[in-house]
Amino acid sequence: MMNECQLLPLLTVASGPMRGVGFRLRRQPQVIGRDPAVDIVVYDPHLSRRHAEIRLADEGVALADLDSTNGTWVNGGRTSGLTRLTDGDVIRLGRTELRFHDPGVARTDPVGLSFGAARQDRRQTLMLPLALAAAGDTAHRASTTGHVADSRA
C-alpha cells in the first residue's frame, strides 16, 4: 500500500510562504484554497477560499479553476475549464507556485529539475597543487596543536 501511494502524483510548493511542502494527490477530487476546510490548504492571502479543484482519473490529472478572483495559471497561461496536467507543469495560484510531479510518467523530479543527458558545460574539478595542500596541512596542524614542526631540520 505504501509503494502504491508513492506512485500517486504530487504537488510541491515551489514558491510562496509554504515553499517545500508537498501534497500527494488522492483518487477523489481535491479542492485547493485558503479555507481550512478544503482538501489542500495553501496559506496565501491572494488565493480564494475555494480556488481550484484537481482530479486524478485513469486518463490523467486535470485542474479546474473554481471561479477564483485571481485565476489559476498553468505554465504561464490562465486556465478555463479543465486543464490536463503533465509532469513538470507549474501551477500558479495567487502568489504561490506549485509544481506537478507524476512519478508514473516522470520527466522531472519533484522540485522540477529535468531528467536528461548529463550537462557538458561544467568545468572539470582540478586538484590543488601539492605545495598549497601541504601549506594548508601545516597551518591546520598549527591551529590544532599550537605549534608547527620545522621541516628544515
Side-chain angles (χ1 to χ4, degrees):
M1 181 72 177
M2 182 65 166
N3 288 341
E4 181 183 321
C5 181
Q6 291 181 357
L7 292 176
L8 291 173
L10 175 72
L11 288 178
T12 304
V13 181
S15 70
M18 295 176 61
R19 185 174 182 204
V21 176
F23 302 98
R24 189 71 63 183
L25 299 184
R26 297 188 312 246
R27 299 270 176 220
Q28 306 82 12
Q30 293 171 277
V31 174
I32 305 168
R34 63 181 168 85
D35 188 325
V38 300
D39 303 297
I40 299 175
V41 180
V42 177
Y43 301 107
D44 180 338
H46 301 276
L47 256 70
S48 295
R49 289 183 188 346
R50 298 175 51 84
H51 197 98
E53 182 178 80
I54 193 160
R55 300 175 186 171
L56 176 61
D58 291 335
E59 310 83 50
V61 179
L63 180 73
D65 184 76
L66 298 177
D67 296 324
S68 65
T69 303
N70 293 324
T72 299
W73 302 72
V74 176
N75 299 325
R78 191 168 186 157
T79 65
S80 61
L82 279 177
T83 301
R84 181 93 43 220
L85 297 177
T86 59
D87 183 62
D89 282 349
V90 176
I91 303 161
R92 186 167 52 85
L93 310 166
R95 293 193 179 162
T96 300
E97 282 190 354
L98 303 167
R99 189 165 301 274
F100 176 71
H101 174 66
D102 189 347
V105 294
R107 292 187 322 249
T108 64
D109 69 0
V111 294
L113 299 174
S114 294
F115 296 143
R119 289 179 53 182
Q120 300 297 319
D121 60 343
R122 292 188 182 159
R123 293 185 300 154
Q124 289 182 341
T125 303
L126 301 175
M127 299 294 290
L128 286 174
L130 292 176
L132 288 176
D137 186 44
T138 303
H140 174 71
R141 275 188 275 138
S143 68
T144 57
T145 63
H147 68 281
V148 177
D150 189 356
S151 61
R152 292 176 285 171

